[in-house]
Amino acid sequence: MERVTVVGAGVMGKGIAYAFAISNFQVVLNDIRLEALQKAEADINQLLNDSFQKGFLSEVQYARAKENLQYDMELASAVKDADLVVEAVIERMDIKADVFQKLDKLCKSDAVLATNTSTMSPTEIGAQTSRPDKVVAMHFFNPVHKMKLIEIVRGLETSDETVQFAKDIATKLKKEYVEVNEFPGFVTSRMNCLVGNEAMNMLMEGVASAKDIDKAIKLGLNHPMGPLELADLVGLDTRLRNMEYLYQTLGEKYRPSPILVKYVKAGRLGRKSGRGFYEYN
C-alpha cells in the first residue's frame, strides 16, 4: 500500500496528509477550493521546515516527504490510483454521503474508503457505496502529527480484512489504535463532548472563569489541555455540529450548551477565527 488520497484540506485533512507523507506514503491532498489547497500546502511546508529544523525529521525524511506530496482540485484524478482514501470534510452527513457516492464511482474496486468522522455512522456512510465492506472510520486527532491515537470504527458491514488493513496503516504511521464497534460518538468524542459541554455550562453559570476551569481540569484531573482550550482548538462550529448530532442520537444529556450556540452565531469559532473562549493573535 503506497498511494493515499486525503479529501478535504482543512485542519484535519492537511494534518493527515502530513502524517502520511512523513511516513513515506505517496499522498494526494484534494479540495474543491483552490485557496484551501494553497493554504494547506503553505502550512504543510511550514510544518515540514519546522520539524526538520528542530531535528524531528532527518534530511532524507524531509526531502522524501516533500516529494511524496501532491495537491489536486479534481477529485477524479486525485483518487484514481489511490489504495486508501481518507475523507476529512465537514461533519455533515449529507456532504459525506455525496463524497462517498462519488468516491465509489471513481476509485479502484479494491480501494479502502475511510472517513475521519469523530461522531457519525460509518454504516450509514458505507451504505452510500457498493463496497460497504471496504468502508471504515479512521478517527485521527488534532494536531495529527503529535497525537498518538487513531480510533478505528467498524461499521455493520465492515470486513475483518478492512479493519486489519486500517490497523496496519496506523502501525505504519507509528500510531496507537483502538478498535471500536460503531455507536454515536465512538469512545473519545462521546466522553469529550460531555466534559466540554459541562465546562461551557459552568462558564455560563459563572462558576469560574474559562482560565480557572481549564486550570482546574489540567492540574486537578491531569488532563493535558483544558476542555475550553480544546474546544477552541477543535473549532466551536465543529464542536456544535458534533453536539447536535449526539443530541439527536443519544438524547438530552448532549444538548449543546447555550453559550456554545451563542459563540458560533457571533462568529467566535476558536483559534481559526482568532477568538473563542480565549483570544488569539
PDB file of all heavy atoms in Angstrom, residues 3-36:
ATOM      1  N   ARG A   3      -0.238   4.426  -2.051  1.00  0.00           N
ATOM      2  CA  ARG A   3      -0.896   5.652  -2.509  1.00  0.00           C
ATOM      3  C   ARG A   3      -2.125   5.966  -1.673  1.00  0.00           C
ATOM      4  O   ARG A   3      -3.022   5.138  -1.540  1.00  0.00           O
ATOM      5  CB  ARG A   3      -1.288   5.514  -3.984  1.00  0.00           C
ATOM      6  CG  ARG A   3      -0.093   5.331  -4.919  1.00  0.00           C
ATOM      7  CD  ARG A   3      -0.543   5.179  -6.369  1.00  0.00           C
ATOM      8  NE  ARG A   3       0.582   4.947  -7.243  1.00  0.00           N
ATOM      9  CZ  ARG A   3       1.314   5.921  -7.812  1.00  0.00           C
ATOM     10  NH1 ARG A   3       1.007   7.185  -7.565  1.00  0.00           N
ATOM     11  NH2 ARG A   3       2.323   5.632  -8.605  1.00  0.00           N
ATOM     12  N   VAL A   4      -2.136   7.175  -1.122  1.00  0.00           N
ATOM     13  CA  VAL A   4      -3.228   7.632  -0.277  1.00  0.00           C
ATOM     14  C   VAL A   4      -3.735   8.970  -0.804  1.00  0.00           C
ATOM     15  O   VAL A   4      -2.935   9.839  -1.182  1.00  0.00           O
ATOM     16  CB  VAL A   4      -2.766   7.820   1.185  1.00  0.00           C
ATOM     17  CG1 VAL A   4      -3.898   8.346   2.056  1.00  0.00           C
ATOM     18  CG2 VAL A   4      -2.219   6.520   1.741  1.00  0.00           C
ATOM     19  N   THR A   5      -5.043   9.132  -0.821  1.00  0.00           N
ATOM     20  CA  THR A   5      -5.636  10.434  -1.127  1.00  0.00           C
ATOM     21  C   THR A   5      -6.419  10.901   0.091  1.00  0.00           C
ATOM     22  O   THR A   5      -7.158  10.120   0.696  1.00  0.00           O
ATOM     23  CB  THR A   5      -6.571  10.361  -2.341  1.00  0.00           C
ATOM     24  OG1 THR A   5      -5.808   9.970  -3.488  1.00  0.00           O
ATOM     25  CG2 THR A   5      -7.228  11.723  -2.619  1.00  0.00           C
ATOM     26  N   VAL A   6      -6.236  12.162   0.446  1.00  0.00           N
ATOM     27  CA  VAL A   6      -6.986  12.782   1.533  1.00  0.00           C
ATOM     28  C   VAL A   6      -7.927  13.801   0.913  1.00  0.00           C
ATOM     29  O   VAL A   6      -7.483  14.692   0.183  1.00  0.00           O
ATOM     30  CB  VAL A   6      -6.065  13.461   2.562  1.00  0.00           C
ATOM     31  CG1 VAL A   6      -6.887  14.087   3.685  1.00  0.00           C
ATOM     32  CG2 VAL A   6      -5.058  12.457   3.118  1.00  0.00           C
ATOM     33  N   VAL A   7      -9.225  13.648   1.175  1.00  0.00           N
ATOM     34  CA  VAL A   7     -10.239  14.539   0.607  1.00  0.00           C
ATOM     35  C   VAL A   7     -10.655  15.542   1.668  1.00  0.00           C
ATOM     36  O   VAL A   7     -11.227  15.173   2.692  1.00  0.00           O
ATOM     37  CB  VAL A   7     -11.458  13.748   0.108  1.00  0.00           C
ATOM     38  CG1 VAL A   7     -12.521  14.685  -0.463  1.00  0.00           C
ATOM     39  CG2 VAL A   7     -11.028  12.728  -0.949  1.00  0.00           C
ATOM     40  N   GLY A   8     -10.366  16.801   1.413  1.00  0.00           N
ATOM     41  CA  GLY A   8     -10.636  17.864   2.378  1.00  0.00           C
ATOM     42  C   GLY A   8      -9.332  18.397   2.935  1.00  0.00           C
ATOM     43  O   GLY A   8      -8.590  17.670   3.594  1.00  0.00           O
ATOM     44  N   ALA A   9      -9.037  19.683   2.657  1.00  0.00           N
ATOM     45  CA  ALA A   9      -7.737  20.254   3.018  1.00  0.00           C
ATOM     46  C   ALA A   9      -7.833  21.217   4.194  1.00  0.00           C
ATOM     47  O   ALA A   9      -7.062  22.162   4.291  1.00  0.00           O
ATOM     48  CB  ALA A   9      -7.116  20.957   1.811  1.00  0.00           C
ATOM     49  N   GLY A  10      -8.795  20.974   5.086  1.00  0.00           N
ATOM     50  CA  GLY A  10      -8.909  21.791   6.282  1.00  0.00           C
ATOM     51  C   GLY A  10      -7.893  21.377   7.330  1.00  0.00           C
ATOM     52  O   GLY A  10      -6.883  20.728   7.027  1.00  0.00           O
ATOM     53  N   VAL A  11      -8.166  21.741   8.579  1.00  0.00           N
ATOM     54  CA  VAL A  11      -7.226  21.478   9.669  1.00  0.00           C
ATOM     55  C   VAL A  11      -6.874  19.992   9.748  1.00  0.00           C
ATOM     56  O   VAL A  11      -5.699  19.613   9.812  1.00  0.00           O
ATOM     57  CB  VAL A  11      -7.807  21.960  11.007  1.00  0.00           C
ATOM     58  CG1 VAL A  11      -6.941  21.497  12.173  1.00  0.00           C
ATOM     59  CG2 VAL A  11      -7.931  23.480  11.017  1.00  0.00           C
ATOM     60  N   MET A  12      -7.888  19.124   9.725  1.00  0.00           N
ATOM     61  CA  MET A  12      -7.622  17.692   9.862  1.00  0.00           C
ATOM     62  C   MET A  12      -7.024  17.120   8.589  1.00  0.00           C
ATOM     63  O   MET A  12      -6.080  16.318   8.637  1.00  0.00           O
ATOM     64  CB  MET A  12      -8.906  16.952  10.230  1.00  0.00           C
ATOM     65  CG  MET A  12      -9.417  17.252  11.625  1.00  0.00           C
ATOM     66  SD  MET A  12      -8.181  16.966  12.916  1.00  0.00           S
ATOM     67  CE  MET A  12      -7.862  15.216  12.714  1.00  0.00           C
ATOM     68  N   GLY A  13      -7.548  17.506   7.441  1.00  0.00           N
ATOM     69  CA  GLY A  13      -7.065  16.949   6.183  1.00  0.00           C
ATOM     70  C   GLY A  13      -5.593  17.205   5.952  1.00  0.00           C
ATOM     71  O   GLY A  13      -4.837  16.292   5.592  1.00  0.00           O
ATOM     72  N   LYS A  14      -5.157  18.435   6.173  1.00  0.00           N
ATOM     73  CA  LYS A  14      -3.739  18.733   5.946  1.00  0.00           C
ATOM     74  C   LYS A  14      -2.860  18.041   6.986  1.00  0.00           C
ATOM     75  O   LYS A  14      -1.743  17.615   6.672  1.00  0.00           O
ATOM     76  CB  LYS A  14      -3.494  20.235   5.917  1.00  0.00           C
ATOM     77  CG  LYS A  14      -3.755  20.982   7.197  1.00  0.00           C
ATOM     78  CD  LYS A  14      -3.702  22.489   6.968  1.00  0.00           C
ATOM     79  CE  LYS A  14      -4.064  23.268   8.223  1.00  0.00           C
ATOM     80  NZ  LYS A  14      -4.197  24.720   7.962  1.00  0.00           N
ATOM     81  N   GLY A  15      -3.385  17.871   8.216  1.00  0.00           N
ATOM     82  CA  GLY A  15      -2.624  17.147   9.234  1.00  0.00           C
ATOM     83  C   GLY A  15      -2.468  15.677   8.887  1.00  0.00           C
ATOM     84  O   GLY A  15      -1.397  15.088   9.071  1.00  0.00           O
ATOM     85  N   ILE A  16      -3.535  15.076   8.370  1.00  0.00           N
ATOM     86  CA  ILE A  16      -3.493  13.670   7.969  1.00  0.00           C
ATOM     87  C   ILE A  16      -2.545  13.490   6.783  1.00  0.00           C
ATOM     88  O   ILE A  16      -1.738  12.543   6.747  1.00  0.00           O
ATOM     89  CB  ILE A  16      -4.909  13.164   7.634  1.00  0.00           C
ATOM     90  CG1 ILE A  16      -5.776  13.147   8.903  1.00  0.00           C
ATOM     91  CG2 ILE A  16      -4.863  11.769   7.006  1.00  0.00           C
ATOM     92  CD1 ILE A  16      -7.255  12.983   8.638  1.00  0.00           C
ATOM     93  N   ALA A  17      -2.610  14.395   5.810  1.00  0.00           N
ATOM     94  CA  ALA A  17      -1.716  14.322   4.653  1.00  0.00           C
ATOM     95  C   ALA A  17      -0.256  14.404   5.091  1.00  0.00           C
ATOM     96  O   ALA A  17       0.603  13.654   4.600  1.00  0.00           O
ATOM     97  CB  ALA A  17      -2.047  15.438   3.673  1.00  0.00           C
ATOM     98  N   TYR A  18       0.049  15.292   6.016  1.00  0.00           N
ATOM     99  CA  TYR A  18       1.414  15.428   6.537  1.00  0.00           C
ATOM    100  C   TYR A  18       1.875  14.126   7.191  1.00  0.00           C
ATOM    101  O   TYR A  18       2.998  13.655   6.944  1.00  0.00           O
ATOM    102  CB  TYR A  18       1.463  16.580   7.540  1.00  0.00           C
ATOM    103  CG  TYR A  18       2.772  16.705   8.272  1.00  0.00           C
ATOM    104  CD1 TYR A  18       3.817  17.470   7.756  1.00  0.00           C
ATOM    105  CD2 TYR A  18       2.981  16.068   9.502  1.00  0.00           C
ATOM    106  CE1 TYR A  18       5.032  17.585   8.425  1.00  0.00           C
ATOM    107  CE2 TYR A  18       4.182  16.173  10.177  1.00  0.00           C
ATOM    108  CZ  TYR A  18       5.208  16.936   9.636  1.00  0.00           C
ATOM    109  OH  TYR A  18       6.399  17.039  10.305  1.00  0.00           O
ATOM    110  N   ALA A  19       1.011  13.538   8.016  1.00  0.00           N
ATOM    111  CA  ALA A  19       1.380  12.309   8.719  1.00  0.00           C
ATOM    112  C   ALA A  19       1.701  11.183   7.738  1.00  0.00           C
ATOM    113  O   ALA A  19       2.664  10.429   7.941  1.00  0.00           O
ATOM    114  CB  ALA A  19       0.252  11.889   9.657  1.00  0.00           C
ATOM    115  N   PHE A  20       0.918  11.061   6.680  1.00  0.00           N
ATOM    116  CA  PHE A  20       1.196  10.030   5.672  1.00  0.00           C
ATOM    117  C   PHE A  20       2.486  10.342   4.912  1.00  0.00           C
ATOM    118  O   PHE A  20       3.291   9.452   4.637  1.00  0.00           O
ATOM    119  CB  PHE A  20       0.026   9.905   4.694  1.00  0.00           C
ATOM    120  CG  PHE A  20      -1.081   9.013   5.174  1.00  0.00           C
ATOM    121  CD1 PHE A  20      -2.279   9.535   5.618  1.00  0.00           C
ATOM    122  CD2 PHE A  20      -0.930   7.635   5.183  1.00  0.00           C
ATOM    123  CE1 PHE A  20      -3.304   8.716   6.064  1.00  0.00           C
ATOM    124  CE2 PHE A  20      -1.936   6.795   5.626  1.00  0.00           C
ATOM    125  CZ  PHE A  20      -3.129   7.339   6.076  1.00  0.00           C
ATOM    126  N   ALA A  21       2.698  11.608   4.565  1.00  0.00           N
ATOM    127  CA  ALA A  21       3.865  11.970   3.768  1.00  0.00           C
ATOM    128  C   ALA A  21       5.165  11.686   4.501  1.00  0.00           C
ATOM    129  O   ALA A  21       6.128  11.170   3.909  1.00  0.00           O
ATOM    130  CB  ALA A  21       3.795  13.447   3.374  1.00  0.00           C
ATOM    131  N   ILE A  22       5.239  11.985   5.799  1.00  0.00           N
ATOM    132  CA  ILE A  22       6.485  11.748   6.537  1.00  0.00           C
ATOM    133  C   ILE A  22       6.684  10.263   6.845  1.00  0.00           C
ATOM    134  O   ILE A  22       7.778   9.851   7.222  1.00  0.00           O
ATOM    135  CB  ILE A  22       6.549  12.573   7.844  1.00  0.00           C
ATOM    136  CG1 ILE A  22       5.466  12.142   8.836  1.00  0.00           C
ATOM    137  CG2 ILE A  22       6.501  14.064   7.539  1.00  0.00           C
ATOM    138  CD1 ILE A  22       5.617  12.780  10.217  1.00  0.00           C
ATOM    139  N   SER A  23       5.617   9.468   6.651  1.00  0.00           N
ATOM    140  CA  SER A  23       5.717   8.011   6.834  1.00  0.00           C
ATOM    141  C   SER A  23       5.941   7.297   5.513  1.00  0.00           C
ATOM    142  O   SER A  23       5.778   6.084   5.407  1.00  0.00           O
ATOM    143  CB  SER A  23       4.458   7.479   7.518  1.00  0.00           C
ATOM    144  OG  SER A  23       4.311   8.050   8.804  1.00  0.00           O
ATOM    145  N   ASN A  24       6.310   8.066   4.487  1.00  0.00           N
ATOM    146  CA  ASN A  24       6.729   7.558   3.179  1.00  0.00           C
ATOM    147  C   ASN A  24       5.600   6.959   2.353  1.00  0.00           C
ATOM    148  O   ASN A  24       5.811   6.030   1.570  1.00  0.00           O
ATOM    149  CB  ASN A  24       7.884   6.559   3.308  1.00  0.00           C
ATOM    150  CG  ASN A  24       8.712   6.502   2.030  1.00  0.00           C
ATOM    151  OD1 ASN A  24       8.803   7.488   1.295  1.00  0.00           O
ATOM    152  ND2 ASN A  24       9.303   5.357   1.745  1.00  0.00           N
ATOM    153  N   PHE A  25       4.384   7.466   2.515  1.00  0.00           N
ATOM    154  CA  PHE A  25       3.291   7.182   1.591  1.00  0.00           C
ATOM    155  C   PHE A  25       3.262   8.267   0.523  1.00  0.00           C
ATOM    156  O   PHE A  25       3.594   9.421   0.795  1.00  0.00           O
ATOM    157  CB  PHE A  25       1.944   7.187   2.324  1.00  0.00           C
ATOM    158  CG  PHE A  25       1.753   6.054   3.286  1.00  0.00           C
ATOM    159  CD1 PHE A  25       2.230   6.128   4.581  1.00  0.00           C
ATOM    160  CD2 PHE A  25       1.066   4.904   2.893  1.00  0.00           C
ATOM    161  CE1 PHE A  25       2.040   5.090   5.481  1.00  0.00           C
ATOM    162  CE2 PHE A  25       0.877   3.861   3.780  1.00  0.00           C
ATOM    163  CZ  PHE A  25       1.366   3.946   5.079  1.00  0.00           C
ATOM    164  N   GLN A  26       2.847   7.897  -0.673  1.00  0.00           N
ATOM    165  CA  GLN A  26       2.583   8.892  -1.711  1.00  0.00           C
ATOM    166  C   GLN A  26       1.183   9.450  -1.456  1.00  0.00           C
ATOM    167  O   GLN A  26       0.222   8.691  -1.374  1.00  0.00           O
ATOM    168  CB  GLN A  26       2.677   8.266  -3.092  1.00  0.00           C
ATOM    169  CG  GLN A  26       4.086   7.796  -3.440  1.00  0.00           C
ATOM    170  CD  GLN A  26       4.152   7.158  -4.819  1.00  0.00           C
ATOM    171  OE1 GLN A  26       3.337   7.436  -5.691  1.00  0.00           O
ATOM    172  NE2 GLN A  26       5.127   6.288  -5.014  1.00  0.00           N
ATOM    173  N   VAL A  27       1.087  10.765  -1.318  1.00  0.00           N
ATOM    174  CA  VAL A  27      -0.140  11.403  -0.848  1.00  0.00           C
ATOM    175  C   VAL A  27      -0.616  12.460  -1.832  1.00  0.00           C
ATOM    176  O   VAL A  27       0.170  13.307  -2.273  1.00  0.00           O
ATOM    177  CB  VAL A  27       0.081  12.079   0.523  1.00  0.00           C
ATOM    178  CG1 VAL A  27      -1.251  12.578   1.083  1.00  0.00           C
ATOM    179  CG2 VAL A  27       0.755  11.146   1.502  1.00  0.00           C
ATOM    180  N   VAL A  28      -1.901  12.407  -2.142  1.00  0.00           N
ATOM    181  CA  VAL A  28      -2.558  13.485  -2.881  1.00  0.00           C
ATOM    182  C   VAL A  28      -3.571  14.125  -1.942  1.00  0.00           C
ATOM    183  O   VAL A  28      -4.420  13.429  -1.376  1.00  0.00           O
ATOM    184  CB  VAL A  28      -3.265  12.983  -4.152  1.00  0.00           C
ATOM    185  CG1 VAL A  28      -3.910  14.156  -4.900  1.00  0.00           C
ATOM    186  CG2 VAL A  28      -2.292  12.248  -5.065  1.00  0.00           C
ATOM    187  N   LEU A  29      -3.476  15.441  -1.771  1.00  0.00           N
ATOM    188  CA  LEU A  29      -4.441  16.185  -0.969  1.00  0.00           C
ATOM    189  C   LEU A  29      -5.405  16.882  -1.920  1.00  0.00           C
ATOM    190  O   LEU A  29      -4.981  17.611  -2.826  1.00  0.00           O
ATOM    191  CB  LEU A  29      -3.739  17.197  -0.073  1.00  0.00           C
ATOM    192  CG  LEU A  29      -4.623  18.015   0.872  1.00  0.00           C
ATOM    193  CD1 LEU A  29      -5.443  17.123   1.796  1.00  0.00           C
ATOM    194  CD2 LEU A  29      -3.766  18.982   1.688  1.00  0.00           C
ATOM    195  N   ASN A  30      -6.692  16.646  -1.718  1.00  0.00           N
ATOM    196  CA  ASN A  30      -7.729  17.164  -2.616  1.00  0.00           C
ATOM    197  C   ASN A  30      -8.662  18.111  -1.878  1.00  0.00           C
ATOM    198  O   ASN A  30      -9.017  17.875  -0.729  1.00  0.00           O
ATOM    199  CB  ASN A  30      -8.526  16.001  -3.203  1.00  0.00           C
ATOM    200  CG  ASN A  30      -9.836  16.448  -3.854  1.00  0.00           C
ATOM    201  OD1 ASN A  30     -10.889  16.412  -3.229  1.00  0.00           O
ATOM    202  ND2 ASN A  30      -9.761  16.882  -5.095  1.00  0.00           N
ATOM    203  N   ASP A  31      -9.055  19.174  -2.559  1.00  0.00           N
ATOM    204  CA  ASP A  31     -10.107  20.057  -2.063  1.00  0.00           C
ATOM    205  C   ASP A  31     -10.704  20.772  -3.263  1.00  0.00           C
ATOM    206  O   ASP A  31     -10.010  21.021  -4.258  1.00  0.00           O
ATOM    207  CB  ASP A  31      -9.558  21.067  -1.056  1.00  0.00           C
ATOM    208  CG  ASP A  31     -10.645  21.636  -0.140  1.00  0.00           C
ATOM    209  OD1 ASP A  31     -11.485  22.416  -0.632  1.00  0.00           O
ATOM    210  OD2 ASP A  31     -10.671  21.283   1.049  1.00  0.00           O
ATOM    211  N   ILE A  32     -11.991  21.096  -3.178  1.00  0.00           N
ATOM    212  CA  ILE A  32     -12.649  21.789  -4.296  1.00  0.00           C
ATOM    213  C   ILE A  32     -12.309  23.273  -4.312  1.00  0.00           C
ATOM    214  O   ILE A  32     -12.581  23.963  -5.296  1.00  0.00           O
ATOM    215  CB  ILE A  32     -14.179  21.603  -4.246  1.00  0.00           C
ATOM    216  CG1 ILE A  32     -14.754  22.144  -2.930  1.00  0.00           C
ATOM    217  CG2 ILE A  32     -14.552  20.145  -4.462  1.00  0.00           C
ATOM    218  CD1 ILE A  32     -16.282  22.120  -2.885  1.00  0.00           C
ATOM    219  N   ARG A  33     -11.697  23.785  -3.238  1.00  0.00           N
ATOM    220  CA  ARG A  33     -11.379  25.214  -3.133  1.00  0.00           C
ATOM    221  C   ARG A  33      -9.878  25.421  -3.311  1.00  0.00           C
ATOM    222  O   ARG A  33      -9.076  24.894  -2.537  1.00  0.00           O
ATOM    223  CB  ARG A  33     -11.830  25.761  -1.785  1.00  0.00           C
ATOM    224  CG  ARG A  33     -13.322  25.620  -1.512  1.00  0.00           C
ATOM    225  CD  ARG A  33     -13.611  25.774  -0.027  1.00  0.00           C
ATOM    226  NE  ARG A  33     -12.934  24.728   0.745  1.00  0.00           N
ATOM    227  CZ  ARG A  33     -12.545  24.864   2.011  1.00  0.00           C
ATOM    228  NH1 ARG A  33     -12.747  26.002   2.643  1.00  0.00           N
ATOM    229  NH2 ARG A  33     -11.947  23.869   2.645  1.00  0.00           N
ATOM    230  N   LEU A  34      -9.505  26.226  -4.291  1.00  0.00           N
ATOM    231  CA  LEU A  34      -8.091  26.489  -4.559  1.00  0.00           C
ATOM    232  C   LEU A  34      -7.425  27.138  -3.349  1.00  0.00           C
ATOM    233  O   LEU A  34      -6.303  26.773  -2.986  1.00  0.00           O
ATOM    234  CB  LEU A  34      -7.947  27.391  -5.787  1.00  0.00           C
ATOM    235  CG  LEU A  34      -6.512  27.802  -6.154  1.00  0.00           C
ATOM    236  CD1 LEU A  34      -5.650  26.586  -6.441  1.00  0.00           C
ATOM    237  CD2 LEU A  34      -6.524  28.769  -7.341  1.00  0.00           C
ATOM    238  N   GLU A  35      -8.111  28.103  -2.723  1.00  0.00           N
ATOM    239  CA  GLU A  35      -7.494  28.798  -1.598  1.00  0.00           C
ATOM    240  C   GLU A  35      -7.217  27.854  -0.428  1.00  0.00           C
ATOM    241  O   GLU A  35      -6.222  28.007   0.287  1.00  0.00           O
ATOM    242  CB  GLU A  35      -8.365  29.974  -1.140  1.00  0.00           C
ATOM    243  CG  GLU A  35      -9.750  29.621  -0.638  1.00  0.00           C
ATOM    244  CD  GLU A  35     -10.814  29.524  -1.734  1.00  0.00           C
ATOM    245  OE1 GLU A  35     -10.449  29.388  -2.922  1.00  0.00           O
ATOM    246  OE2 GLU A  35     -12.008  29.588  -1.385  1.00  0.00           O
ATOM    247  N   ALA A  36      -8.095  26.855  -0.251  1.00  0.00           N
ATOM    248  CA  ALA A  36      -7.874  25.873   0.821  1.00  0.00           C
ATOM    249  C   ALA A  36      -6.640  25.028   0.531  1.00  0.00           C
ATOM    250  O   ALA A  36      -5.837  24.750   1.434  1.00  0.00           O
ATOM    251  CB  ALA A  36      -9.104  24.986   0.987  1.00  0.00           C
TER     252      ALA A  36
END
